[in-house]
Amino acid sequence: MSTASVPRISLLGSTALLFEAPGELDLAPQQRIWSLALQASEWSEIHEAVPGMNNLMLTFIQPPRDLDGLCERLLHAWDSCRPLPLEGRIVELAVVYGGEFGPHMQDVVAHTGLDIETIANLHCEPLYPVYALGSHPGYCYLGGMDARLATPRRQVPVLSVGAGSVSIGGVQTGVSASAGPSGWNTIGRTEMTFFDPTQNPPAMLRPGDMLRLRIERIIR
C-alpha cells in the first residue's frame, strides 16, 4: 500500500498528537475529519479534538498510558467514519481587490497569466465551504478555489498583513481574522470582523459555514 494512502500520526510533545489524513484537500475528506473529531471528542482521555486542513489535533487530559491502543482506535475510527456534512450559514463578504489592499496581486497575475479582472471574477465564483479554523484565532481556511488561481506561497513571508486580508496560498484561499505575518499572496481586503473575544463564540465562522465573495471594487 502506498504511504500516500495511509494516515500519519505524530506526537506533539506529551500533551497532544496530530492525525494527518491521506489524499488531496477536498470537501469529502474534510467532512471525514469533522466526523472523526466528533467521535474522538467523546473519548475519556481526550481533552479537545481540533480539526485542521486534512488533519486533526487531539489534546490529552493527561498523557495516555496506552498510546499504541489510542492510535489503533484512531485509525479504526478513520476507516469506519463517513463524511459528516455540516449545515452552516451562508455569509457574504464584499472584497476590494488589488491596490494597497492586494499588495501581491501582481505576483498572482505574473504566475497565472490572468489579468486582475479575471482573477477577481474567478475568485468570487465559488461558494466557499469553511474547511477549518486555524493559523490564528478566527482565521478560516476555504475550499473550492478555481485551480487556475493557484499560486505558490511566498518564499519570504511578509511580517504583517491587515485584518480581513484575502489571500491565496497554493491551491487554497483564506481570510485573515487579525493582523499578522503571512506567507500567502494577499490579493484583497474585506471589512468583516472574524474574531471578537467579547462575543460567544468569539469566532464568527465555523467549519461547515459557506462564504460567498463579491467584488466591491477593483483597484488596478
Side-chain angles (χ1 to χ4, degrees), residues 29-110:
Q30 193 65 26
Q31 289 175 331
R32 286 182 70 188
I33 288 288
W34 299 342
S35 179
L36 185 63
L38 187 63
Q39 292 183 53
S41 66
E42 299 178 350
W43 297 348
S44 61
E45 61 267 74
I46 299 304
H47 173 65
E48 190 176 15
V50 184
M53 290 294 293
N54 251 29
N55 62 57
L56 176 66
M57 183 180 71
L58 300 181
T59 62
F60 311 136
I61 295 174
Q62 58 185 19
R65 293 182 178 180
D66 184 10
L67 180 61
D68 290 341
L70 175 62
C71 292
E72 288 179 10
R73 194 183 346 156
L74 190 57
L75 291 171
H76 177 73
W78 172 254
D79 288 338
S80 61
C81 73
R82 295 186 177 184
L84 174 67
L86 295 178
E87 296 296 331
R89 304 158 296 163
I90 296 178
V91 178
E92 182 175 293
L93 297 181
V95 180
V96 177
Y97 286 94
E100 62 180 306
F101 302 112
H104 309 133
M105 176 65 85
Q106 290 303 322
D107 294 326
V108 179
V109 168

Side-chain angles (χ1 to χ4, degrees), residues 144-163:
M145 186 182 72
D146 192 302
R148 288 172 287 181
L149 298 178
T151 303
R153 299 184 186 194
R154 306 189 65 76
Q155 292 185 354
V156 179
V158 295
L159 294 179
S160 182
V161 298

Side-chain angles (χ1 to χ4, degrees), residues 168-180:
I168 292 173
V171 298
Q172 299 174 240
T173 189
V175 185
S176 296
S178 59

